[in-house]
Amino acid sequence: MYPGAKTLFYALSRSARLKRLASKYGMRSRESFARRFIAGETIDEAIDASRNIQAQGLHLTLDYLGESVRTVEEADAATREYVRLHDVIVRSGIERNISLKLTQLGVGIDRATCVDNLRRILEPAGRHDFFVRIDMEESAWTQMTLDIFETLWQQDYRNIGIALQASLYRTEQDVRRMNELGASVRLVKGAYKEPQDVAYRRKADVDAAFVRLMRLLLDSGNYPAIATHDPPMIEATQSHARQHGIGKERFEFEMLYGIRRDLQGTLASEGYQVRLYIPFGREWFPYFMRRLGERPANVGFVMRGILREQ
Ligand code: FDA
């Protein structure tokens, strides 16, 4: 993790010009640079990628890209797309597991709109036995996201889980609360640029927090997802599970589509549950920029892609 790079890519992710340029070249052909991280712009492409992934013995969660919508109409369109996604997934026979962001469903407009939209998605999800994971966004949304999650949980929606970020100081308390409820947590390091008064900045501090929280989740959580590509974090998880007799069926590793494919395959072949987060859709630019911010070496590969496309 590189705090400077995160800041730079966060700024670039807001550039309309760069977005236009990237959108023009990023997904144009099968070899285009954004396809390394994004399964495609259409549901059909995402289903194809999912089938491939399942054939490799991996699990999946599908994410229809989009975030920070500004109007009720945009939030409604995203909700309708998620509802449609249920039908397509059911027909295709792939695993029934989706991820979504509350700012895509209108939490930035008002809470009630967002909760209504989320319920519209959870209705077919419940009927068709889907699992729905709520991603965690910038810290400005953490409390609201958790409040909405708990409201739905108390209303007996039990096919839902949440993501929590090890980089935030508050997360230990949130992990304990989710463990108390019996809710499944996806533990991540945290992809957003955060102020120093809410989050650790140094990789060593984030990693130490990640290991602490991973142990809490493995010991007393409900089927946690340890979401990282970082080998020391993965080894710490394996070693804690071994030492405490926690079976491989009681947790899963999660990774992002296109990142550390070697590691995904190795872990699956060792009998671990490995789930890939498969993003698709036209609104891929902010997601893509976060992936560049995590590993600036990716920029070279993107630049070569752009030059090749011209
Ligand atoms: P770290 O960044 O330390 O990287 C460790 C190693 O992984 C690197 O050395 C490199 O080998 C590889 N790697 C990491 N990122 C890479 C990249 N972009 N390209 C190529 N190689 C890379 N965040 C969030 O705030 N809210 C959320 O809801 C989610 N959801 C989520 C789901 C899943 C399944 C995953 C795996 C991750 C998320 N994240 C997230 C993102 C997460 O917070 C974090 O930013 C990334 O996973 C990168 O952190 P690592 O744990 O991989 O470690």
Side-chain angles (χ1 to χ4, degrees), residues 1 36 135-136 163 165 186 188-192 203 227-230 254-256 259-260 277 291 294-295 298:
M1 196 181 308
R36 163 149 175 212
D135 289 347
M136 191 55 80
Q165 299 152 330
R186 174 204 291 149
V188 301
K189 287 194 185 179
Y192 298 86
K203 174 172 164 62
T228 179
H229 318 92
D230 199 2
E254 287 194 11
M255 296 193 199
L256 300 176
I259 299 183
R260 292 302 310 260
Y277 181 101
R291 304 295 76 84
E294 284 155 1
R295 191 161 181 268
N298 288 337

Side-chain angles (χ1 to χ4, degrees), residues 138-165:
E138 279 112 326
S139 59
W141 297 115
T142 308
Q143 191 57 52
M144 176 77 93
T145 305
L146 286 164
D147 287 348
I148 291 177
F149 180 83
E150 262 208 50
T151 302
L152 291 165
W153 187 267
Q154 304 300 0
Q155 292 170 359
D156 277 345
Y157 288 95
R158 291 297 152 85
N159 57 332
I160 52 175
I162 190 95
L164 292 176
Q165 299 152 330

Side-chain angles (χ1 to χ4, degrees), residues 1 12 32 39 41 66 73 92 106 121 144 156 166 169 190-191 206 209 230 235 245 261 277 297 299 304:
M1 196 181 308
L12 292 175
S32 296
E41 291 194 333
E73 290 73 28
S92 73
I121 294 169
M144 176 77 93
D156 277 345
Y169 303 141
V206 177
D230 199 2
E235 282 151 27
R261 283 176 263 205
Y277 181 101
V299 176
R304 285 193 295 279

Side-chain angles (χ1 to χ4, degrees), residues 33-79:
F33 58 86
R35 286 193 188 267
R36 163 149 175 212
F37 301 113
I38 290 119
E41 291 194 333
T42 66
I43 292 188
D44 288 346
E45 287 173 300
I47 299 287
D48 279 352
S50 302
R51 287 209 172 97
N52 246 322
I53 277 152
Q54 282 200 170
Q56 295 165 45
L58 302 168
H59 298 279
L60 58 93
T61 182
L62 271 180
D63 172 57
Y64 172 57
L65 289 163
E67 54 197 83
S68 306
V69 302
R70 298 233 169 88
T71 65
V72 173
E73 290 73 28
E74 283 176 288
D76 177 62
T79 304

